[in-house]
Amino acid sequence: MLLASIVNILSQMANVFFMGHTGQSVLYVLSLYIPVSFLLIALVEAIQLSTQVTVSRQRESGSKELSSLFAHYAGGGLILSIFIGLIVFLCLPILQYFYKIPDDITPLFSSYVIGMMIAAVPTVLGAIANASLRGLGRAKHASFIAVCTALVNISLVYILVNMIGLSLNGIVYANIISSLLSLSAAITILIKGGDLRFPNRSINMSKLILLRYVGIPVFASYCLIFISTFFYNRIVSPFGESVIAGFGVGYRIQTMAILPGIVIGSAIGILINQNMASKKSMRAYEGFKKGMLQSYGTYLFIAASIWLFKDPIVSFLIADKYSQVEAIRYLSIVAPSYLLMGPMMTALLTMEQTGQGYRALVLNAIYFCLIVAGGFGITSKFNSPEAFYWCIFAANIAGATIIFPIFRMYKKRYVLARQVTDEGKKTRENVISPQP
């Protein structure tokens, strides 16, 4: 799963590279699209994590039950992706007014947003199919599909953008084609493995029960990012298009940097749910500890690499000199905090998959409120985007303090509770059959 995440990061960086050499207006549109993209990510993550947790808990129930689960989540994902696409389409005039987008860029922005809403439909369905594979313990299959999908996406973007010259539309077409291929491959593996067959036509809303405990808090957490990034762009917008474009590139690199932490948290969640289904609580806690250690080791490398090589990374990705300066400035300030931000994301995602989603939602809300409120105040006072970047750095450091209470919570939940239960059993056994 981590390998698939790394390849996905390379795919996103390739997209930034291809777009970063087509002009500042394209970078400007991509930066404005970041908040909208988090709305789609919210839907994808909510649906796929709910599917993953449900399947991991029900993987021994047989193909009939699994097929019904898949059908319900696929139907729900289809309806929700169309619904969100329509809402975004209707809100386009509001977005254009909010950002004060110039008239000559408005058509480019509108066509790109509409195209990405259409591409979201196969993306959501493909995410559900691959989440089913991971929940069944076939993470290698799902990762292989993710790697192949990313490589196809990179190739298509190069052909459609650089060779044919479709600009942002090339990304839209590439996403649609690669998502359809990913969906087809995952369904084929599920059918051949005997886990998927034609389900019953009856609708049972109880199949979607984990959307309440996993999907809704995950969706709400990403909606917080969606709302926050609107304010982020608003905070830096007074400093000009080049600052918005540079900040957008830096923030996109940060978004890609946190993907491994999310993936590790997702893997920990799968292991915890599978072990708890087998009543192996001690093993569940050990899995959490080892996963967090891996997250710290991974982010020691990621934070150091991005900070040390920020200049060549940014210069490679985008051509505009003014945007380069701003992106490098952002990473020089914020990148060191990824050492703590990554494990924080790992811990929060683990909570979202193990029945603690609403606690994670509250913690996310506090984190983003600190950045937005502090960002507006400190940026207005110093009249510099750098002040906002330091605010993000400080919030990342402060957010990492939640990791220690989360460790205590899981220890109490899986270790201490098990010890109390075992001691209670021994006491009852001694009372029933006292030793001579």
Side-chain angles (χ1 to χ4, degrees), residues 163-390:
M163 298 179 66
I164 300 179
L166 293 181
S167 187
L168 289 172
N169 288 331
I171 292 182
V172 174
Y173 298 142
N175 284 354
I176 292 174
I177 295 171
S178 59
S179 297
L180 287 172
L181 292 174
S182 174
L183 172 63
S184 302
I187 290 179
T188 300
I189 293 174
L190 287 169
I191 292 174
K192 286 189 174 182
D195 300 305
L196 185 62
R197 63 183 187 180
F198 192 76
N200 296 327
R201 296 183 180 180
S202 60
I203 298 176
N204 183 0
M205 295 306 293
S206 64
K207 304 287 185 185
L208 304 176
I209 190 65
L210 280 178
L211 276 177
R212 176 182 176 185
Y213 300 105
V214 177
I216 291 177
V218 169
F219 182 80
S221 294
Y222 277 95
C223 283
L224 286 173
I225 305 177
F226 161 69
I227 296 170
S228 299
T229 47
F230 269 112
F231 288 110
Y232 293 175
N233 281 341
R234 187 68 172 175
I235 290 171
V236 299
S237 61
F239 301 102
E241 289 185 16
S242 62
V243 173
I244 295 178
F247 167 73
V249 171
Y251 194 79
R252 186 176 289 270
I253 292 172
Q254 174 175 306
T255 303
M256 291 184 284
I258 65 175
L259 279 178
I262 293 174
V263 169
I264 295 172
S266 181
I268 296 172
I270 293 174
L271 294 175
I272 287 178
N273 284 307
Q274 290 178 350
N275 281 303
M276 292 307 295
S278 302
K279 303 188 184 304
K280 299 177 181 177
S281 58
M282 292 289 291
R283 186 176 174 85
Y285 180 68
E286 289 299 317
F288 175 70
K289 286 201 305 183
K290 300 229 180 204
M292 289 301 298
L293 286 174
Q294 289 184 12
S295 184
Y296 276 109
T298 300
Y299 275 94
L300 176 61
F301 172 77
I302 289 176
S305 298
I306 293 178
W307 190 78
L308 290 173
F309 301 105
K310 56 187 178 295
D311 290 51
I313 290 173
V314 172
S315 300
F316 174 75
L317 290 177
I318 57 177
D320 183 70
K321 298 297 183 183
Y322 296 104
S323 301
Q324 283 181 10
V325 170
E326 199 60 35
I328 291 171
R329 181 181 291 122
Y330 177 84
L331 293 175
S332 66
I333 294 172
V334 180
S337 67
Y338 298 162
L339 173 62
L340 298 177
M341 181 186 182
M344 176 185 72
M345 295 300 299
T346 298
L348 289 174
L349 201 82
T350 302
M351 291 178 65
E352 289 171 345
Q353 293 190 76
T354 54
Q356 304 294 319
Y358 288 99
R359 286 188 181 183
L361 175 61
V362 172
L363 294 172
N364 274 317
I366 295 172
Y367 169 77
F368 288 113
C369 285
L370 286 173
I371 293 179
V372 172
F376 270 114
I378 196 171
T379 306
S380 299
K381 180 177 180 179
F382 292 97
N383 194 32
S384 169
E386 288 186 47
F388 178 51
Y389 305 158
W390 280 111

